[in-house]
Amino acid sequence: MSLNIKGSSCARCKAYLFEEDDIVFCPVCGAPHHRECYNAIGHCALEEFHGTDQEYSKVKQEPIEEKGPKTEQKNIFNEQRFIGFDFLGGVPADYQFEKDVTAEDCKKFILANTHRYIPKFIGLNKRNKVSWNWVAFLFPCGWTLSRKMYKNGIISGILILISSLLSFPFNQTVMAAMPQDNIPYPELVSIIFDMLPEISGLSIALAFAGLLLELGIRIYAALFSDYNYKKFVISSIKKIKSENDDIEFEYRKKGGINPFLIVIGEMTIKFIGNFIVNLL
């Protein structure tokens, strides 16, 4: 029985399985499930096929012969053929994340890159909040603002700004003592290390704290942004449905993505940082 999930989908919800998903396998036939999907029904989604010729382990391994000269291997449970592009990432449109919040609702609210987020949301819950988002790691403030989570974006921007200000005394000392000519990177590092005994211990400690703070913000954003975005999407959809008549319009207004805010958010942090530095 192979436990390789490459190219496989959850036997219950049919969503594509990623390596980082929380996956369990049926002890009888080996069919893969999201742990949440398996626990929801308490048994294998393909239990009715156990002990038959259509058992998952047999269909997975054995080709089905068709009339004609060619023999093609098929997987009746994992094969998904779409006309055009599948914006739901293999998740059924009526799949419910919570009461009255379906995958179709999420697609209409998210709008951009739905084929990544909707399958990702299935494996994210209170017990499994971790995934990895490279864009959020590189642009913790800009990504969050672009997804219209303004409160979280402002908080992460302020923390990034604080981390850069903590490093200001150290950077100022190093830049003042640095030669004006262009220096190869290995020599530059050597010069900085030679200067360390002459730099205030407080400046070094603040710079180190600033580095740790920025790294911590970026790692947190990368690990938990998808989970926080799922909560934002679901809570926003619930609020829209309960308070508005024109749901489709509100989805477009409050959801989707504003890519310009990635640039604006990151540039604003740098501008405010430089402005404060010049005042000092």
Side-chain angles (χ1 to χ4, degrees):
M1 181 186 301
S2 174
L3 301 185
N4 182 14
I5 65 163
K6 185 176 181 181
S8 298
S9 302
C10 175
R12 178 172 184 251
C13 70
K14 302 299 187 292
Y16 183 82
L17 293 172
F18 298 91
E19 291 184 1
E20 61 268 26
D21 289 341
D22 188 9
I23 300 168
V24 295
F25 298 87
C26 171
V28 177
C29 68
H33 302 67
H34 293 108
R35 185 178 298 278
E36 184 177 10
C37 291
Y38 191 91
N39 291 339
I41 57 177
H43 56 77
C44 176
L46 307 177
E47 188 177 54
E48 61 182 299
F49 298 106
H50 289 175
T52 71
D53 292 338
Q54 292 185 339
E55 183 176 298
Y56 178 87
S57 58
K58 297 178 181 179
V59 176
K60 180 78 174 176
Q61 297 169 7
E62 297 176 0
I64 300 176
E65 293 187 2
E66 295 182 347
K67 294 180 179 181
K70 294 183 178 179
T71 300
E72 180 183 359
Q73 182 171 350
K74 293 184 176 181
N75 186 337
I76 64 174
F77 301 115
N78 291 328
E79 184 179 15
Q80 296 183 9
R81 300 191 180 194
F82 304 99
I83 299 174
F85 186 79
D86 178 22
F87 291 96
L88 292 172
V91 179
D94 58 354
Y95 179 89
Q96 288 200 350
F97 289 99
E98 290 190 14
K99 185 178 180 181
D100 296 329
V101 179
T102 65
E104 182 67 18
D105 291 321
C106 293
K107 184 193 76 172
K108 293 177 180 178
F109 185 90
I110 296 171
L111 290 180
N113 209 12
T114 56
H115 62 286
R116 176 190 185 274
Y117 289 107
I118 293 177
K120 181 74 69 176
F121 285 175
I122 292 178
L124 294 173
N125 50 55
K126 291 182 179 180
R127 296 180 61 185
N128 179 33
K129 301 180 180 181
V130 174
S131 63
W132 187 265
N133 187 325
W134 275 110
V135 180
F137 176 82
L138 296 173
F139 311 105
C141 173
W143 178 87
T144 310
L145 291 175
S146 72
R147 286 290 171 177
K148 302 184 180 179
M149 295 186 288
Y150 300 120
K151 180 180 178 180
N152 291 353
I154 292 172
I155 292 174
S156 62
I158 291 173
L159 292 176
I160 289 287
L161 178 61
I162 291 173
S163 70
S164 64
L165 293 177
L166 288 174
S167 303
F168 170 70
F170 177 84
N171 294 337
Q172 191 75 357
T173 302
V174 171
M175 294 302 296
M178 196 65 63
Q180 298 298 319
D181 299 334
N182 292 329
I183 303 174
Y185 182 76
E187 294 183 20
L188 180 63
V189 173
S190 177
I191 292 174
I192 293 175
F193 271 100
D194 292 340
M195 292 171 54
L196 288 179
E198 303 174 7
I199 299 177
S200 165
L202 179 60
S203 296
I204 296 175
L206 289 175
F208 186 69
L211 178 64
L212 289 180
L213 177 59
E214 180 176 354
L215 186 60
I217 295 166
R218 294 183 182 278
I219 292 176
Y220 175 86
L223 291 175
F224 297 103
S225 285
D226 290 335
Y227 175 73
N228 291 333
Y229 186 48
K230 175 186 177 180
K231 292 198 302 181
F232 170 74
V233 169
I234 292 176
S235 62
S236 297
I237 290 173
K238 286 183 175 180
K239 187 175 181 180
I240 289 171
K241 285 189 171 184
S242 64
E243 298 179 357
N244 299 274
D245 295 327
D246 192 348
I247 295 176
E248 300 289 333
F249 173 78
E250 292 297 323
Y251 282 168
R252 295 191 296 271
K253 178 182 177 182
K254 298 179 180 179
I257 183 173
N258 188 339
F260 296 105
L261 288 180
I262 293 181
V263 179
I264 293 173
E266 299 300 319
M267 290 184 64
T268 299
I269 293 173
K270 292 185 181 298
F271 174 79
I272 294 176
N274 291 335
F275 178 75
I276 295 176
V277 165
N278 289 333
L279 288 179
L280 298 175

